[in-house]
Amino acid sequence: MSVQSAAATTPAPAGPTTKQSPATTTLAGGAAGADEPAAARGRTSIADVVVVKVAGVAAREIPGVHAMGGGLSRTIGAVRDRVPGGRSNVGRGVKVEVGERQTAIDVDLVVEYGVPIADLARDVRENVIDAVERITGLEVVEVNVTINDVHLPDDEDSAPETTSRVA
């Protein structure tokens, strides 16, 4: 993934600077002063985890998406979901790269058997782009969809019952 950053072409602002964590993106910088419009006073920063969660929820909204993440990620998530008080991770299976004004997103999916994969990938891509751009204001430059597995109708999440060979 490559995200173009405007930082290389934009001169650094004069005055004091604040150190930001690498997982936070400044979306809009504002000017200080009472003579500035209210909307321009201050700056908006969006953490990478925000983009991850928005993209994860948007991908799960598409019919035919059974689960998200690779095999190990899903296994760890299943264990976490069974722990009392544990919450499911809506960002599982989503990786993002966020620049100043743009973002690129990778989504790993497990699809239901029988769903046309090309159509599902297109629908996921469109929904993720729409949600991330609408909610964060960042331009989505690409959404890469990887299908890791197909969930078959007879696959069960629970372990099959076995009968004992000994009495």
Side-chain angles (χ1 to χ4, degrees):
M1 283 187 294
S2 64
V3 177
Q4 298 175 355
S5 176
T9 59
T10 306
T17 59
T18 59
K19 183 176 180 180
Q20 292 184 325
S21 76
T24 302
T25 298
T26 300
L27 183 62
D35 56 339
E36 295 294 328
R41 294 185 203 169
R43 138 170 61 201
T44 302
S45 298
I46 298 177
D48 292 3
V49 70
V50 173
V51 178
V52 167
K53 287 182 178 183
V54 170
V57 169
R60 283 178 173 79
E61 290 175 346
I62 302 302
V65 173
H66 176 74
M68 295 184 60
L72 181 61
S73 167
R74 289 193 326 265
T75 302
I76 292 171
V79 171
R80 179 184 294 156
D81 293 345
R82 290 190 176 122
V83 172
R87 298 185 321 191
S88 64
N89 181 1
V90 296
R92 181 184 313 138
V94 180
K95 296 177 204 118
V96 300
E97 185 177 339
V98 182
E100 287 187 22
R101 294 180 183 91
Q102 298 176 325
T103 185
I105 303 167
D106 292 331
V107 181
D108 294 338
L109 303 175
V110 176
V111 299
E112 295 288 347
Y113 176 79
V115 175
I117 292 175
D119 295 342
L120 177 94
R122 183 194 64 240
D123 293 345
V124 166
R125 192 173 286 113
E126 289 175 356
N127 203 44
V128 166
I129 290 170
D130 178 59
V132 170
E133 288 183 346
R134 180 175 40 83
I135 293 172
T136 68
L138 294 168
E139 176 189 2
V140 178
V141 295
E142 66 182 14
V143 175
N144 300 310
V145 178
T146 302
I147 308 301
N148 286 322
D149 201 358
V150 175
H151 178 259
L152 301 174
D154 58 346
D155 285 349
E156 293 297 322
D157 292 331
S158 61
E161 294 182 25
T162 59
T163 57
S164 176
R165 298 186 310 170
V166 294

